[in-house]
Structure formats: structure tokens, C-alpha cells
Amino acid sequence: MDASMFRAWIHEAARSVTENADRLTRLDSAVGDADHGINMRRGLQAAAAMLEETNPSTPGAVLAIVGRALISKTGGASGPLYGTGFRQAARTLGQEPDVSTAQLGAALAAALTGIQRIGAALEGDKTMIDALSPAVTAYQAVIDTGGDLAKATRAASDAAEWGLKQTAGMQARKGRASYLGARTIGHEDPGAASTVLILSALAHVSSAGERCAGGYQ
Amino acid sequence: MKKLINSPDRVLDDALVGVAAAHPSLTVNTFDRYIARAGGPTPGKVGLVSGGGSGHEPLHGGFVGLGMLDAACPGEVFTSPVPDQILAATRAVDVGTGVLHIVKNYTGDVLNFQLAAELAADDGVRVEGVVVNDDVAVENSTWTAGRRGTGATVFVEKIAGAAAELGADLGTTAALGREVNDRSRSFGVALTPCTVPASGKPGFELGEDEVELGVGIHGEPGRARGRLTSARELVAVALDAIHTDMPLSGEVLVMVNGLGGTPLIELYVVYAAVAEWLAGHGVGITRNLVGNYVTSLEMAGCTITVCRLTPQLTHLWDAPVVTPALRWGR
């Protein structure tokens, strides 16, 4: 995977989040302050625009720019959390022009660790971690058993979707939603929902890459 | 959605142009998005920077001026400012004596100010932070992100601002801010929801005869739903909650704050009930504020904030202040 695939990922994520912005905001109005869709759309569109301007040549450079754009433009808690995730992933990939499936797995794991560190959230707290953590595990499991990129990213995306469904039964313990206590039960977490969109965008471009005979164009 | 706006995406930009035009005592940096004192930073003085989501006016830009803040960073509506903004404001007000960040306890605000403080430290700017967390409506705080910061933010900004203006150093200013926070508690009641312009829909729904008890200032629902009763009974719910958490005695500073959609006459009805309740509990009101200071767009309702004063805090509260929203002593 080269920089062009990572750029395609972010463009697809920006498109998907824009398309789903109202849904994310609706989820957030049930448990928070009704701005998650608006913020994520602003942040990812800024990230996509910054990639167009700077045209980075390595996957690590792509993710570093995305991290910086999200921190600078998103606001709220999602900006620092997602921004830190992308920056930690970028650090793991270094200056490598071509990234292996194993390296991408390490990058996803680093993103998870970075987000957990600054957000101090654990699985079960009803946050994006509840989607990202099972996704990282599922990705690794597929790679460990010899699966390819398309299968691994699909498994990650499905696991995130499963995690999102689980958040409906949880009581929020982090962020603004925590103030509602038991009233959060029955609602899916908006942060977990945006994580699903970002990971399914990755799965989407990965399988598109496969179809292009051995490499994303 | 019925609002006096030009476009939902440009509300903050257009409002900042208005702030700049309305207040010659302020300078508005529309690129980095911060509001600062027009004369620039005061030599030798600790800088005070606060900020948070927009929609809470006059918080925080309305409290920039002599005796209070040096700069304020307005985020998008109900969304915390980003680190770039906070860093730019922090750099702009630092004269080498350090900068105090006054941050309301909301996850987004705390994270963004934290990142900005780290970046400022990399530049050699000394930064300390006071996290305001006065809202007693949040129960069982071990399982939440901690208590929200609401009305006490005004008290912290005023009293720490006065101390800095009188020449207190960074550590002393920060300690005073923390002391005010420790001695302050708030509780909010909402009668209607409000609508964030970019979303276009109310953040929650309330029946005609329902109130949201313990509401936060971002339009997020509170601890429980209750029946709409008399102002006196709602005040008792609020002050009982505060008193249970921090027994009230001696002399206090009280703020009855409108959330944006409540007329002043109702705030005075509430203030009368507050004064009656406090007198009944042997508590004296030394100073007060009644009005719209920490709003929540057009939400109807109010927050009640109480600070247990000391002679030093009363003295600093009385010190001159010249800002768009608070002005006395000069």
C-alpha cells in the first residue's frame, strides 16, 4: 500500500462521514450536544483538502497530515482523540513508501493505544474505543491466519460495527454523555459510529485496490 | 429553525465581525479566532486566557478587559476551540510572566487546552490551568468525566483576573482560581431545549409541563426530568442539591444566570426565592449577579451558582473591572 491508497482512504472517509453527518449528529443529540456529525465532517473535509494541497508521498506522511488537520479543525473531544490516533499511526509507519498489511495492523494498534492514553477510556465505557478495539483485534487475527488486506480490513470494519451495536447496551462513563448516566442506555455511541465509517472506508478502498489487480491505482 | 443568521456555517465568523465592530476596547483576530484586549498585553502581568464553545455569550469574549481576561477563544457553537486558537491567544498575551488557562470541565475543552498548553510549553511559555467543575447536578462522579464547569467560570475569571491585575504571580493567580472553584457550586434548570444553528434541530425535547433538572450549558439533557412547578420549588431543588454537596453558611456570592431564553423578570422571581431560601438557612448574600452571563443559545431556564466568600475573595470581586459584560469600580 502506498500513499495513494491512504489518500483514497481519507477521501472516502470524508465522503462517507459527510453523507452520514446528520445521522451522527442525531446519535449525538440523544446522548451529547448534537455536534459530532458537524465536527467530523468539518475535520475530515479539512484533512482531505490539506492532502490535496500538500500531496504527501508516503503513507506515514499522509496520516501525519490527517492527524494535524483533525486536531486543528475538528474541535470538541473528537479532534484531539482522532488526531492523536492518526498521528500515532503515522509515527509507526515512519517514512516507508510502501506499507505491508502487518505494518498497517501495527499502525491501527498504535492509534488505539494513543486514543486510549489521552482519552483514558476503557472498553465498555461507551466510546469510540468500543468500535476500534475489536477492529484492531479482528484485523490482527485475519493477518495472523494468512488473510489478505481486503479480508483483514473487512473483518476490522465488521468488528467495529459489532462493537457499535454493543454500545447501545452500555452506560456512558466518558465525555459529555456520561452526565446522562443510565439515560444513555439504548442509544449507540456517536464516536463508535464515526469509527465504523472511517474503518469501512478503509475496507472499501482496500477491496477496490484488490480489484485493480494487485495494487490500488 | 428561526434565527437571525446569514448562513449556518458562518455564524461564528459573522458574530466575531460584530464583536470587533461593537467593542473598540477589544481586538478580534478573525484568522486565529481569538478576542483580546485592544491595547495588547499588560507588561509584567500574568495573562489570563479562557475559551469554550460559542453560544454562551457573554462568556467568554464579553469578559475580556481590565481586571478579567486578556484573551478568549471561541470555538464553533457548543464545540471547544482547537489547540491552534488557544496557542495563538496564549502566545499573544504572554509577556514572560506566564499564562493561566481557565477551562470548563468538558472533555473537549480539557483535551484541546491540554494540547495547547503542551505546545506553548515547547515555545517556552509557562502555562498553568484551572479546571472549573462546579456543577453538582452530576451524580456519581467516579463513573463520569467529572463535574461540568458552568457558572463558577465567571467567578474564577473575575477573581483570578483581579489578582493578576494587582500583580499576583502565576502560581498565586492559579491558586486563587482553584480556591474560587473549590468554594463554588452550581445547579441548572431548563424549560426548553435550544437549537445549534449547524444542526437546525433542538438538542432534546421537553413536554409543555416538563423541566430538565440539572441541565448542562451545552443544551445537553441533565440528571432527570421533573414536573414544572413554582419557581420557589425549583429553587429549593437546586439549592438543596448545592447545600447537600457543600453546606452553605456565612457570606456568599450568588449568581442567578439566565440561559438565554428567560426574561429578566423571571430571573428576579428566582432571585427572590434564592434570597428567601438562603435567609432561611442563615446564609447572607454579600454580592450578587442577576442576568445572562453564561447562556445556552435560546434555551429557557437558569443556573444558580453560589460561592462561599472569604474577605480576600470579596475584596477581589469588588476590584475594578471593565469588560463588555461586567463593569464596575471605575
Side-chain angles (χ1 to χ4, degrees):
Chain A
M1 287 162 271
D2 61 5
S4 70
M5 195 202 106
F6 282 78
R7 281 208 299 269
W9 170 22
I10 300 309
H11 282 291
E12 173 60 17
R15 191 201 59 75
S16 170
V17 163
T18 300
E19 193 179 290
N20 286 280
D22 287 346
R23 192 185 121 237
L24 292 177
T25 291
R26 218 166 35 242
L27 288 176
D28 196 22
S29 67
V31 299
D33 57 351
D35 65 357
H36 189 58
I38 299 159
N39 291 347
M40 289 303 291
R41 180 179 61 200
R42 185 175 55 240
L44 278 164
Q45 286 183 349
M50 217 176 275
L51 288 180
E52 290 298 304
E53 270 169 40
T54 53
N55 206 18
S57 59
T58 65
V62 169
L63 297 190
I65 284 166
V66 171
R68 205 175 317 141
L70 291 179
I71 290 173
S72 305
K73 298 293 177 194
T74 311
S78 339
L81 291 169
Y82 277 120
T84 299
F86 275 100
R87 284 167 65 94
Q88 290 305 321
R91 198 166 292 180
T92 305
L93 297 180
Q95 294 306 308
E96 204 70 42
D98 248 296
V99 167
S100 69
T101 46
Q103 284 168 319
L104 177 59
L108 290 172
L112 172 63
T113 310
I115 293 172
Q116 272 180 317
R117 182 173 48 78
I118 71 157
L122 302 171
E123 273 184 81
D125 285 346
K126 197 179 177 103
T127 70
M128 57 176 78
I129 299 297
D130 291 306
L132 185 55
S133 181
V136 169
T137 308
Y139 181 98
Q140 200 55 45
V142 172
I143 297 298
D144 287 347
T145 53
D148 62 12
L149 175 70
K151 281 203 186 69
T153 53
R154 178 50 56 200
S157 167
D158 290 347
E161 183 82 48
W162 173 85
L164 167 64
K165 294 273 183 314
Q166 303 307 304
T167 63
M170 298 172 187
Q171 175 171 338
R173 292 193 288 242
K174 288 285 164 188
R176 204 160 284 161
S178 68
Y179 303 127
L180 272 83
R183 291 164 79 186
T184 55
I185 296 171
H187 299 283
E188 288 178 349
D189 178 65
S194 57
T195 296
V196 168
L197 295 176
I198 292 168
L199 290 173
S200 58
L202 176 62
H204 181 79
V205 300
S206 299
S207 58
E210 295 265 303
R211 284 197 300 274
C212 294
Y216 189 81
Q217 299 305 303
Chain B
M1 175 175 65
K2 260 173 120 174
K3 287 182 188 288
L4 288 170
I5 57 175
N6 300 316
S7 136
D9 300 331
R10 287 203 43 91
V11 174
L12 179 56
D13 298 287
D14 291 352
L16 285 177
V17 172
V19 167
H23 302 291
S25 66
L26 302 179
T27 170
V28 178
N29 185 320
T30 49
F31 180 76
D32 283 321
R33 284 190 168 172
Y34 65 83
I35 299 168
R37 299 192 198 184
T42 313
K45 192 184 89 68
V46 167
L48 269 75
V49 175
S50 192
S54 293
H56 304 305
E57 292 67 28
L59 193 77
H60 296 274
F63 299 127
V64 174
L66 179 96
M68 222 160 157
L69 298 177
D70 292 277
C73 306
E76 291 290 337
V77 175
F78 287 1
T79 300
S80 58
V82 299
D84 307 27
Q85 270 176 281
I86 304 165
L87 177 63
T90 303
R91 277 196 187 125
V93 305
D94 182 47
V95 290
T97 38
V99 176
L100 181 66
H101 285 173
I102 298 170
V103 187
K104 297 189 296 307
N105 191 38
Y106 287 96
T107 309
D109 288 345
V110 172
L111 289 179
N112 283 287
F113 270 93
Q114 217 165 21
L115 285 180
E118 283 169 22
L119 295 170
D122 291 347
D123 293 354
V125 180
R126 284 190 303 138
V127 176
E128 280 220 41
V130 174
V131 176
V132 183
N133 59 347
D134 54 316
D135 186 357
V136 301
V138 177
E139 290 178 294
N140 196 11
S141 61
T142 352
W143 299 109
T144 68
R147 290 180 165 175
R148 299 176 286 218
T150 63
T153 315
V154 178
F155 297 173
V156 172
E157 289 176 1
K158 169 67 185 82
I159 290 172
E165 207 73 60
L166 291 166
D169 63 19
L170 180 58
T172 310
T173 307
L176 266 163
R178 290 184 194 119
E179 186 186 351
V180 172
N181 179 56
D182 289 346
R183 303 178 76 92
S184 300
R185 300 289 189 277
S186 293
F187 192 95
V189 178
L191 311 184
T192 65
C194 61
T195 298
V196 174
S199 114
K201 294 181 209 72
F204 58 97
E205 280 167 23
L206 267 181
E208 260 302 297
D209 57 345
E210 283 181 318
V211 293
E212 188 76 35
L213 295 168
V215 74
I217 55 164
H218 296 81
E220 75 276 36
R223 136 192 316 192
R225 290 275 158 96
R227 312 294 293 173
L228 177 61
T229 55
S230 67
R232 192 176 280 118
E233 282 174 63
L234 291 174
V235 164
V237 169
L239 288 177
D240 285 343
I242 289 173
H243 187 56
T244 304
D245 192 80
M246 179 184 74
L248 296 170
S249 62
E251 294 297 314
V252 298
L253 160 64
V254 169
M255 177 168 71
V256 170
N257 167 61
L259 287 171
T262 294
L264 205 46
I265 188 170
E266 291 177 32
L267 298 182
Y268 279 115
V269 170
V270 168
Y271 185 76
V274 169
E276 184 184 290
W277 190 101
L278 288 173
H281 287 73
V283 181
I285 303 179
T286 303
R287 300 290 182 272
N288 71 74
L289 284 180
V290 181
N292 295 300
Y293 297 100
V294 184
T295 59
S296 192
L297 295 172
E298 76 280 20
M299 192 188 287
C302 70
T303 59
I304 298 169
T305 305
V306 185
C307 174
R308 290 167 50 230
L309 287 167
T310 64
Q312 184 194 21
L313 298 184
T314 307
H315 173 72
L316 290 167
W317 180 258
D318 289 342
V321 59
V322 184
T323 69
L326 282 190
R327 180 182 292 257
W328 61 67
R330 191 172 261 229

